[in-house]
Each structure stands twice: as C-alpha cells, then as structure tokens.
Amino acid sequence: MTATGIGAPVKRKEDQRFITGKGQYTDDINRQGQAYAVFVRSPHAHAALKNIDLSAALTSPGCLGAFTGADLAADKVGTLICGWMIHSKDGSPMKAGAHPALAQGKVRYVGDHVAVVIGETLNAAKDAAEKVSVEYEALPAVTDLAGAQSSGQAQIHAEAANNTVYQWHLGDKAAVAAAFASARHVTKIDLINNRLIPNAIEPRAAIGEYDAGNDSLTLYTTSQNPHVTRLVLAAFIGLAPEHKLRVIAPDVGGGFGSKIFIYAEETVCLWAARKIGRPVKWTGDRSEAFLADAHGRDHVTKAELAVDANGKILGLRASTKANLGGYLSTFASSVPTYLYAPLLSGQYDIPAIYCEVDGVYTNTAPVDAYRGAGRPEATFVVERLVEVAARQIGMDPAEFRRLNFIKSFPHQTPVIMAYDVGDYEACLDKALELADYKGLAARKAESAKKGLKRGLGFSAYIEACGIAPSQAVGSLGAGVGLWESAEVRVNPTGSVEVLTGSHSHGQGHETTFAQLVSQRLGIPIEQVTVVHGDTDKVQFGMGTYGSRSGAVGMSAIFRAIDKVIVKAKKVAGFVLEVPEDSVDFNDGIFSSKATNKTLTFPEVALQAYIAHKFTGAQLEPGLKEGAFFDPTNFTFPSGVHICELEIDPATGATRIERWTAVDDFGTLVNPMIVEGQVHGGIVQGVGQALLEGAVYNKDGQLVTASFMDYTMPRASDVPSFKVAMTSTPCPSNPLGIKGCGEAGAIAAPAAVINAITDALGHEGVAMPATPQAVWRAANTSAQKLAAE
Amino acid sequence: MFSLFRKGKKPAEPAPAAQSAAAPAAADSAERKPTTTASGGRMVKINLTVNGKPVSADIDARTLLVQLLRENLRLTGTHVGCDTSQCGACVVHLDGRAVKSCTTLAASCDAAKVVTIEGLAQGGKLHPMQEAFREHHGLQCGFCTPGMIMAAVDIVARRGGRVSEEVVRADLEGNICRCTGYHNIVAAVLAGAAAMSAAGTAKPQAAE
C-alpha cells in the first residue's frame, strides 16, 4: 500500500471547495436570461381536474407563461416511466397507469403537479402561480395501505383493479409449507416498515436551456445518474434526440436514492425552456421535497419462521403489501420485489423460503428506492424473526444466529442469490468482543438500579450490491443494463483524467478513484482528476446507487488502466529499444531485463504523444483507453451491528449507549471514507427506528411535511460509533470490493428495535419507537398490547 | 414588540430607482414604478459589510439575507436546505453571532457586518475549523458543511473553547446533516475547538 493508494485513509480532494463555499450545486448556477418556474400543486389527494383557468396568471406582472398537462400532451411529450417490468404470479404484466409530468384529468396525491408558471423573477412566478384557478372535484382518497385493495375503495388508476399493480411471488410455496408442517416451533410476527422521506439536505433543482442555433437542449439537474436521465428524457419522454441533449449533474448535495429518478420538474423545465426561448430554473423548497420527492419503504408484512427441535431454521414465509404511491416512480416496481425478497435468506442457511408481495397504489407520493432499497425491509423481517424466535425457544440470540449461519461458500439460497464469499462468524465474534457482550448482564443490573431498562439488539445483515450483472437483471425485468464505464485519458505530461459514469454526491469518488489510478500508474494523486456528471464529457454511465460505484465503477477504471498499461508498455518498448513483452511496469517505472535504462510513466506518456520512436504503421499515437465493466455476480457485503440502549420508563426516552458495527466490505479503498459511510447509514437507520415516519391523514394530507413535523436525526440523538471491519475480498471484481454505502441503513433498524424489545421484555413496539410509543410500551403489559 | 429591524437601527428609507452595482441581476419588467418591484414589492436601500467589503444594495424589502448573499452578491457558499429555519445550511455570522440567513430580512442588516463561509479563511489560510472538517472527514456531500462550519466556529467562540462531545452535540441542534451521522462532524468540531484555543481565537467574536 502506498500513502495514497488502495487502503490508505487519504484526505478528500473535493473537500477544499466544499469547506470554502466554492462547491457548485445546481441552484448555484445561473444562466443568462433565466426565468423561474413555480409549480401549482394539488391540495387534494385524489380529485378530478374539472377546469384550470390560467388567464389571471398570464396577465400577472412578470409572468412569461403558464402551462398545463394539456400543453405537454399537445406537444406529444411522453409520460414519466417505470423502468422495471414485474410480472404477477399469474404471469400477467404489472398494471401501471400513466404518469404525466403535469396532471391530466386527475390528481393522485397532495403535491401532484397541476400546472407550471414561468416568471421573470421567482417572486413574479410565485405571484402568478397564486392566480391559477383550478376547479377540483374531490374524490375519496385511498391512504391506508393495508386496506387499499378492498373492493369498496376508490380506484386510483383505471388500469389497476383494486389499486393492485402486481401480485408477485418468489420461492417454492409447497416446500415452505412442508417445512412449516414439520417444524417444532413457529415464530410469527406482524411488521410495519415505516414510510420515510429521504431529505437530502440539498433540495432537488433543475435548469433547462434551449440553444436555438444548434437546436439542442441542456439540463442542469440534481441527479445521481445524468446519463440515465438523458436516456429517459430522450428515448421515452421524447424532449430531444439523445445527441441533442446534454445533462449536467454538478455537485449534488446528497441523494440516498431520491435523486436517481426522472421527475416531473426537470422534464417540465426542459420542455418549457424551448417553449419560451429562455433558460428555466426551478429550485424545490423543503415543503416540495416532502410532498413530491419519492418516499421510501412503507411495507406491511406478516412473516413466519419455522424452527426444528435443535434450533435450526427450516423455512421462512413472508407476505408483504408494498405502498407504491399514486404513480410508479422510475424504479418503484423493483424495490419491494427483486431488491427485497432475494435478501430474505439473510446470513442463514434456510432451506425453503417463500415470499409474496402485492404492489399497491395509494393517494400518496410515489415510493421508490431510498438508501438500501428493499434490503433494509428484508433485513428487518429476517432479523426481527430470528431475534424473536431465539427468545421464544430460549436460546441466546447470538448463538441462535451462529447456529444458523451459512458456513460454506459459495452458497445458493432458495431465492435467486448465490453468495460468493463471507465469514459471518468472524464478524459476530469481533462484534461480541468489541461490544463486551459478556458484560451486558452487569450493565443491565447497573441500569436497573437507576430505574432504567437496558437492552441489547443484534442485526446480522446481508445485502446484495454491485448492482448488477446486466444479463441477470434483464432476465428479472430491468429495462437497462447495469455495467459501468470508464475512460482513462493520459496527458502528454503524464497527468491523468479519469472519466467515469459513476456520480459522486458525497461518496468521495474524486479521491477514491484517484487513489486507484495513483497506485496503479505510480503517479502522485495530485496528478489525477476525476471527471463525472456531464453527458458531454463522459460517454455513458449508469450512475451511483446500490453501493455500486466501487465494485462496478472502479472496476471499469481498473480495466481501462489495464489497457493503458498494455499500450504504455508498447511505447516503452520502442523507446527502450527492447521487445515489448520484456517490459515490466512497477511503481510508475518501466524497465526491461534487456536494458539497464528505465522510463517513468510521464516520460512514456510524452513519448506516446510525440510519437518519434515508432511509426504510424507500428503503433497508434496517444494514450487513452476506455472500458465497460459488467459484473458477473452481485456482491454480498455483510456484518453484525449491535445496539445497546437505555430506556427511561418514566419518560419513554431512549438513549443509545453503545453502537458496535463490524462489517465485511471486502477490500477497502479508503477506510476513512468507508467508516464515514457506515456512520451516516447507521444514523439513517436509527432515524427510521426511533424518529422518522411520514404520516398521511385519512384525507391524504401529509401531516409530516416539514422539518418541524418530521423528526430528522440530529447530533444529540445519536452517540459516536465503534466501527470495525473484517474482510473476505469479493471474487467477482478485480479489486475485491463489496460496497459500503447502504450497510448502516440496512442493519440499524432491526438492531434498535431488537434492543428496545430486549429492554422492555416484550415485542410490542413498532417503528418509529418515539418516546411516546416507548413510554406506552414500557407502561403497558404485553398481554394488553397484544389484545389491542 | 416584534420588529423586523434590529435594536438601535432605524428602518431604511425607500430607495430611489437608481440601481447600484449589487442590485438584482434578474430583469424586472420595464414599466415598474420607481420604488416598487415588478410584483409590487417595496424597495429599500441598505449598506453593510460582507466579508470585510462594503456592499450597497437596492433590494425588494422582502429579500432575505440569504437571497442577498446568493443572488445579488453571488456568494453561493451559503445554502438553503429548508424553509423553516431548521436545517442550518444557511448559517452566517451577523455582527459576530451565528444567524440563519434564510429567516433574516436583508433590510434588517443595514450597517451590519456579515461573514460567510467565503470570508472565513484569512490571508489565503484556512480557518482552523475548516482544516478540522477536512482532517476529520466531517463532510460528505458538502451541502450542510458551510452552515456547520459557521455554526461550529460560533459554538467554540461563544463557549470560550470549553466544549465537550455532549456540548457540541447539544449545540448543533440547529444544524442537520443527512450524510455523516454526525460522528465525524463532532470529532471535527472538537479538534477545531482545540486548534482555535491554541490560536487564541476561541472567544466571542467582536462585532468588528
């Protein structure tokens, strides 16, 4: 390991601009002559649009235009898409209603887009938007997920009978039934995976710009995947041919999934820019983010675990209703299906698993991928089941897990996944030691003396990352391949630009990707620049989500560097006047057994460009190579998180006392950054478990629509964390990386709830376990809670 | 009584139509009246100091301090993350105190001294708190970072450098980060506090 190579805790290159206020986020960009868009949003969860009167808005001072869904339809603007086809049990394709960027005929959630008003200034646009007069005919709203499919409920989309998008399943139902029939013990639980609002601190924003001279469009947008945005806007929504559309995602202030999707606002800004001949800017405010960013989670699940007389798990069965909201967002359909059920084996050897999932429309904001996307939901099911089963059969929860761990690899689960490598006991042992599990009883006694209840909860999670082998996801319904691209451009002076299809919005790619180049080419890290987020610079890419940028994005860079080295060796052979295959390249130096002369990497780069030592017939000048990397398997990061907390039964306050995380991410490129990812993930998971929850009332109004009402984790809500690693390098990519971006958010909710229920001595508390909920659970008997 | 204007300051008079160099770049419609904006707002003239430089601006009276900084002065390091004064991405120093510029009327800042993240480094040298955030990986996406650093400097100054993990966590109540889980932010603030104490700057800032 070099000081700036793979494995070194290199300080981030990008930080200089962020700590000095020189970051360039979308709202920081202003285009000459830009106008401002304001969206008129539905105040109703479900209503027919009887009439939209724009006349007063159009004569408002400074108003440049006002448009509705009819204007988009007249221009043949396509509707927003859902890019993953799910088939129901009966083989029928999912039943999806149209998702127009501006509503047509009906609105389907509070915050749905009714009209757009463009103004000379933001205030002028806001004033004009107030003058748009909309006549609604309110319809009954469907807001209760559990009851949304009942026959008496209002129909949200004509295409989806009983508001059911699909009834999907995975696994062998009969084998699972047989396993349960032979079980000594069956554990049954009902779970709600609470609905979350992503809340990246940078609100979404977009600037659309039309260049009449070239008949081309440019979109600046807060995106995790600008090329996918361009592809969808070109090929499906039809705003411009792909080669006439440039999408730039500059610095992006956090995504967590919510900036993967192609939304109404950027679509409309881009269309309107051509319509009015001016750049059109929209910056969402926080209220809009709450109402109209895609939300996450929102499952209702019944789950069962079958266990034999020796404590071995025989089977797992889960039935889930997944809320998809009022429309299908870009990848909504895949999250509660293929990103969820294939993870229900957890870290355990479970011979039979069956899961059925109903995807359901409700009059709420669309629900899509949010940090972890399906995998936190699966982990919550598995780790709550395992914990409760251990308690019910009287086994130590750590030892019950150990007994059932998968211990040999590769391991084929009954639900698609083939785990390649892992050592689950190593993580557990290290976590038990770091958490001082042996001292728990004494600590519980100390807490009891103070009138407090102490509890400890485990979460042994697995996730499938490195998304994904293109052929595999294609066979499961994905509309795209999930490889990644890279281009390594060596300059004549030996500095390097790396162009990547990954997108950094907090992950530190400008540092980690440069570490890889620095190590492999033997050049200082300062000589490497990472370029991303602009479709005019980077040819194509699939973006950043699903903890894929290390395992897939860096692997593409690795392969491109391979090609650069092959070419550079040819150049060096000519310069050193030795056979090409005698040239070695180590630590930035080209040498050969055939000569005592050596060349540095910059010397070879210069020779590649001046091309004096070889003819055009012998070798092509220049030094620039590209690669596409398509992984051969998912990666399977895993780990054990242990949460230890104290509850004050007098107030219901829960205080996390200790958090121990031991994760196996395979190869670590930059342990400082990896630990930062773990910290952030844990707090999002703790937020879900203790604080956060989107609440719609029965009329479909979002009650938790601001930071005043939706409890974001703050510094005082969480402790510092003890984070450690084990490593079994991933065999399906050249660096052995598994991915670390979502682990904390996947592991944490179950660890917290397992700790709270351990402290309380019963299972009667759901997420979010707010002080009120915990106080109630602490002061109500288990029998009474069960009876309610 | 609640006042839009700070104690001791007189409300600014409506300004004449003449635009100063720092006036809004966006074009209002042509035939507006001299002292109103395109949409009827009242114009005011203010003079203040931003990052040590005098600034004069004719602004719509509704203009928030963050809008003055971002839109008129193009100091885009100060961010807007919410509309309820909760997230703290917009924190700047106003006469030596941390304030949320998203809920401060620019008109109330006449004669004030404002320091933003862009003005924190002095003489090409980063402020110790900026250094600490980089050193301790106290930022990921960077969006909350300017507000975090400005708040952190204020916490340390206000408390004369006497900070602990518990104090830092409690005093960061008004700043939300979605990326870091706060672990490294807290480490950075503690390290920044130590560096400020060593440099003798861990004391209430003069309203220079």
Side-chain angles (χ1 to χ4, degrees):
Chain A
M1 184 178 95
T2 64
T4 59
I6 301 291
V10 180
K11 305 300 175 210
R12 300 201 320 170
K13 289 161 69 82
E14 45 272 82
D15 284 359
Q16 177 69 24
R17 69 177 184 273
F18 294 136
I19 60 178
T20 55
K22 301 296 184 193
Q24 178 102 132
Y25 301 88
T26 300
D27 188 53
D28 299 339
I29 296 168
N30 293 292
R31 304 297 298 168
Q32 188 68 35
Q34 88 191 359
Y36 296 81
V38 167
F39 287 84
V40 176
R41 294 176 185 276
S42 171
H44 295 283
H46 197 193
L49 280 172
K50 306 304 283 184
N51 187 45
I52 305 174
D53 182 357
L54 300 174
S55 55
L58 288 167
T59 56
S60 184
C63 181
L64 297 170
F67 306 99
T68 69
D71 297 300
L72 293 180
D75 272 8
K76 298 191 166 43
V77 176
T79 55
L80 306 180
I81 64 157
C82 178
W84 198 304
M85 172 53 72
I86 298 296
H87 287 85
S88 287
K89 292 169 195 172
D90 64 6
S92 64
M94 65 185 186
K95 314 288 192 294
H99 186 183
L102 294 176
Q104 293 177 6
K106 254 172 102 169
V107 286
R108 293 180 172 88
Y109 64 97
V110 171
D112 199 357
H113 314 70
V114 174
V116 66
V117 177
I118 319 289
E120 286 281 0
T121 64
L122 182 57
N123 281 341
K126 283 182 176 175
D127 290 345
E130 297 254 314
K131 294 172 187 161
V132 173
S133 175
V134 185
E135 190 186 331
Y136 297 97
E137 180 187 321
L139 300 168
V142 182
T143 58
D144 170 38
L145 170 61
Q149 295 165 286
S150 306
S151 55
Q153 293 283 330
Q155 288 299 293
I156 298 170
H157 289 271
E159 295 83 353
N162 298 321
N163 298 318
T164 303
V165 181
Y166 50 71
Q167 293 188 295
W168 175 86
H169 69 159
L170 184 68
D172 186 335
K173 192 175 185 177
V176 170
F180 275 81
S182 68
R184 172 70 163 274
H185 178 82
V186 173
T187 292
K188 298 185 181 189
I189 54 175
D190 291 343
L191 297 172
I192 292 174
N193 204 289
N194 45 328
R195 185 184 184 108
L196 303 177
I197 300 178
N199 279 321
I201 303 300
E202 180 204 24
R204 287 190 295 116
I207 307 170
E209 186 168 0
Y210 177 60
D211 176 351
N214 294 308
D215 191 28
S216 65
L217 286 160
T218 300
L219 174 68
Y220 300 83
T221 185
T222 49
S223 173
Q224 300 176 218
N225 37 217
H227 291 88
V228 177
T229 299
R230 183 179 66 157
L231 177 64
V232 170
L233 288 170
F236 296 93
I237 300 176
L239 291 180
E242 212 171 355
H243 65 292
K244 291 285 192 183
L245 173 57
R246 178 183 187 184
V247 176
I248 299 170
D251 286 329
V252 172
F256 315 111
S258 69
K259 292 171 181 168
I260 297 172
F261 321 120
I262 292 80
Y263 287 93
E265 290 88 354
E266 56 261 31
T267 303
V268 171
C269 283
L270 197 55
W271 171 81
R274 193 200 304 249
K275 200 79 181 168
I276 69 163
R278 299 261 299 265
V280 174
K281 181 177 193 173
W282 168 78
T283 301
D285 60 30
R286 182 56 55 188
S287 303
E288 292 181 288
F290 272 100
L291 291 175
D293 285 7
H295 295 179
R297 318 281 191 259
D298 207 348
H299 286 193
V300 173
T301 296
K302 290 183 178 299
E304 300 172 84
L305 195 71
V307 182
D308 75 8
N310 299 317
K312 287 284 288 178
I313 299 170
L314 299 173
L316 184 154
R317 187 155 54 194
S319 175
T320 295
K321 289 181 193 297
N323 197 341
L324 301 175
Y327 300 94
L328 294 190
S329 174
T330 314
F331 291 107
S333 54
S334 66
V335 176
T337 51
Y338 287 110
L339 296 179
Y340 167 65
L343 279 301
L344 286 174
S345 195
Q347 298 187 0
Y348 309 106
D349 184 4
I350 304 180
I353 297 173
Y354 178 71
C355 178
E356 50 193 353
V357 179
D358 285 4
V360 179
Y361 276 131
T362 61
N363 291 118
T364 62
V367 180
D368 206 324
Y370 168 63
R371 200 169 194 170
R375 292 153 291 171
E377 294 91 315
T379 297
F380 195 64
V381 171
V382 174
E383 287 304 289
R384 285 292 292 138
L385 270 177
V386 166
E387 188 80 23
V388 174
R391 290 171 185 169
Q392 289 178 345
I393 64 174
M395 269 186 84
D396 178 283
E399 294 315 306
F400 181 68
R401 285 177 169 84
R402 186 192 303 278
L403 174 69
N404 284 287
F405 275 160
I406 294 161
K407 297 184 182 73
S408 69
F409 296 87
H411 174 87
Q412 177 64 53
T413 73
V415 278
I416 300 177
M417 293 300 178
Y419 298 171
D420 46 11
V421 68
D423 185 345
Y424 305 146
E425 284 195 271
C427 277
L428 178 64
D429 287 338
K430 197 164 181 172
L432 289 173
E433 186 192 330
L434 289 173
D436 186 23
Y437 188 51
K438 286 180 184 151
L440 176 64
R443 294 194 296 277
K444 280 189 170 183
E446 279 302 307
S447 296
K449 280 186 203 163
K450 294 182 281 180
L452 304 173
K453 293 173 183 285
R454 183 175 285 261
L456 180 144
F458 293 92
S459 182
Y461 73 93
I462 189 137
E463 53 171 327
C465 297
I467 296 171
S470 299
Q471 202 172 47
V473 295
S475 73
L476 303 178
V480 290
L482 286 166
W483 43 265
E484 196 46 87
S485 80
E487 188 175 315
V488 174
R489 292 183 187 167
V490 181
N491 297 315
T493 52
S495 64
V496 170
E497 281 130 29
V498 181
L499 288 77
T500 172
S502 301
H503 185 279
S504 188
H505 32 278
Q507 295 86 347
H509 296 167
E510 290 170 39
T511 304
T512 51
F513 291 8
Q515 285 179 251
L516 169 61
V517 176
S518 167
Q519 170 159 320
R520 292 212 59 210
L521 296 183
I523 59 175
I525 196 166
E526 295 76 20
Q527 295 284 307
V528 186
T529 295
V530 176
V531 178
H532 67 100
D534 184 341
T535 61
D536 263 15
K537 294 178 180 170
V538 179
Q539 186 232 334
F540 204 87
M542 297 310 299
T544 288
Y545 39 82
S547 305
R548 67 191 303 273
S549 299
V552 190
M554 285 186 81
S555 295
I557 298 170
F558 190 97
R559 293 274 194 257
I561 293 171
D562 282 346
K563 295 180 187 177
V564 165
I565 292 172
V566 167
K567 173 83 179 281
K569 281 182 173 178
K570 291 183 202 279
V571 175
F574 283 108
V575 179
L576 295 171
E577 297 174 321
V578 298
E580 168 194 331
D581 57 10
S582 77
V583 176
D584 289 323
F585 179 61
N586 286 305
D587 297 332
I589 303 294
F590 295 86
S591 61
S592 167
K593 289 190 287 289
T595 175
N596 57 6
K597 285 188 283 188
T598 61
L599 292 167
T600 64
F601 184 78
E603 287 170 334
V604 170
L606 184 63
Q607 290 293 338
Y609 283 92
I610 63 175
H612 292 171
K613 300 291 187 183
F614 49 88
T615 69
Q618 290 170 310
L619 189 65
E620 191 179 312
L623 196 52
K624 180 188 84 165
E625 299 290 346
F628 288 74
F629 179 80
D630 200 350
T632 52
N633 193 358
F634 295 87
T635 67
F636 298 96
S638 62
V640 172
H641 286 220
I642 299 177
C643 170
E644 189 172 324
L645 48 74
E646 260 184 352
I647 290 169
D648 183 344
T651 63
T654 298
R655 183 183 166 83
I656 296 174
E657 291 287 318
R658 297 169 174 222
W659 195 286
T660 308
V662 179
D663 298 290
D664 178 357
F665 299 133
T667 301
L668 305 184
V669 177
N670 183 324
M672 176 191 82
I673 286 175
V674 170
E675 287 178 18
Q677 291 288 316
V678 174
H679 300 152
I682 291 170
V683 172
Q684 278 178 311
V686 169
Q688 170 164 30
L690 292 180
L691 305 166
E692 298 180 44
V695 178
Y696 282 92
N697 71 10
K698 65 178 173 40
D699 300 324
Q701 295 295 330
L702 181 61
V703 177
T704 52
S706 81
F707 285 152
M708 312 281 277
D709 309 294
Y710 182 94
T711 315
M712 292 282 281
R714 302 194 187 223
S716 56
D717 293 317
V718 288
S720 290
F721 306 105
K722 199 176 280 184
V723 175
M725 307 287 166
T726 61
S727 179
T728 55
C730 174
S732 65
N733 64 67
L735 286 158
I737 295 172
K738 293 184 179 180
C740 65
E742 298 157 297
I746 292 170
V752 174
I753 298 301
N754 286 340
I756 291 177
T757 51
D758 179 48
L760 295 177
H762 64 79
E763 309 298 335
V765 67
M767 299 193 292
T770 60
Q772 184 194 20
V774 172
W775 179 86
R776 191 166 164 275
N779 292 281
T780 312
S781 72
Q783 291 78 0
K784 191 172 173 207
L785 283 168
E788 284 177 4
Chain B
M1 194 183 80
F2 177 73
S3 169
L4 294 180
F5 297 93
R6 290 176 306 127
K7 200 179 167 188
K9 296 281 191 295
K10 281 184 187 169
E13 292 301 313
Q19 302 259 316
S20 81
D28 285 337
S29 65
E31 69 269 65
R32 67 185 163 82
K33 290 175 189 166
T35 57
T36 57
T37 64
S39 46
R42 177 169 169 249
M43 297 295 285
V44 294
K45 183 178 180 66
I46 56 168
N47 296 290
L48 67 164
T49 305
V50 177
N51 297 333
K53 292 179 189 149
V55 168
S56 176
D58 290 304
I59 53 169
D60 183 335
R62 296 178 287 186
T63 305
L64 298 165
L65 177 57
V66 70
Q67 292 170 325
L68 176 77
L69 296 170
R70 289 181 55 80
E71 308 298 330
N72 298 43
L73 306 179
R74 297 285 188 244
L75 292 169
T76 55
T78 302
H79 297 148
V80 180
C82 74
D83 35 33
T84 52
S85 212
Q86 292 284 303
C87 80
C90 65
V91 170
V92 300
H93 294 174
L94 177 66
D95 290 335
R97 290 183 308 127
V99 298
K100 288 180 171 170
S101 62
C102 76
T103 36
T104 303
L105 281 168
S108 73
C109 300
D110 189 42
K113 291 189 168 53
V114 174
V115 177
T116 71
I117 188 71
E118 290 93 342
L120 203 56
Q122 291 294 320
K125 192 174 180 323
L126 291 177
H127 187 281
M129 194 60 76
Q130 291 172 305
E131 287 280 13
F133 268 68
R134 174 161 63 190
E135 188 65 22
H136 293 271
H137 188 32
L139 62 148
Q140 290 182 23
C141 81
F143 196 80
C144 77
T145 308
M148 281 285 176
I149 291 175
M150 298 308 283
V153 169
D154 181 68
I155 289 167
V156 175
R158 195 159 29 80
R159 291 184 172 273
R162 290 180 296 279
V163 292
S164 62
E165 173 170 350
E166 198 176 355
V167 164
V168 170
R169 286 186 182 276
D171 281 13
L172 283 177
E173 180 69 16
N175 291 74
I176 300 175
C177 170
R178 195 56 150 169
C179 294
T180 64
Y182 303 102
H183 180 112
N184 286 340
I185 288 178
V186 172
V189 175
L190 291 172
M196 285 172 68
S197 293
T201 56
K203 56 191 178 196
Q205 300 165 88
E208 329 124 37

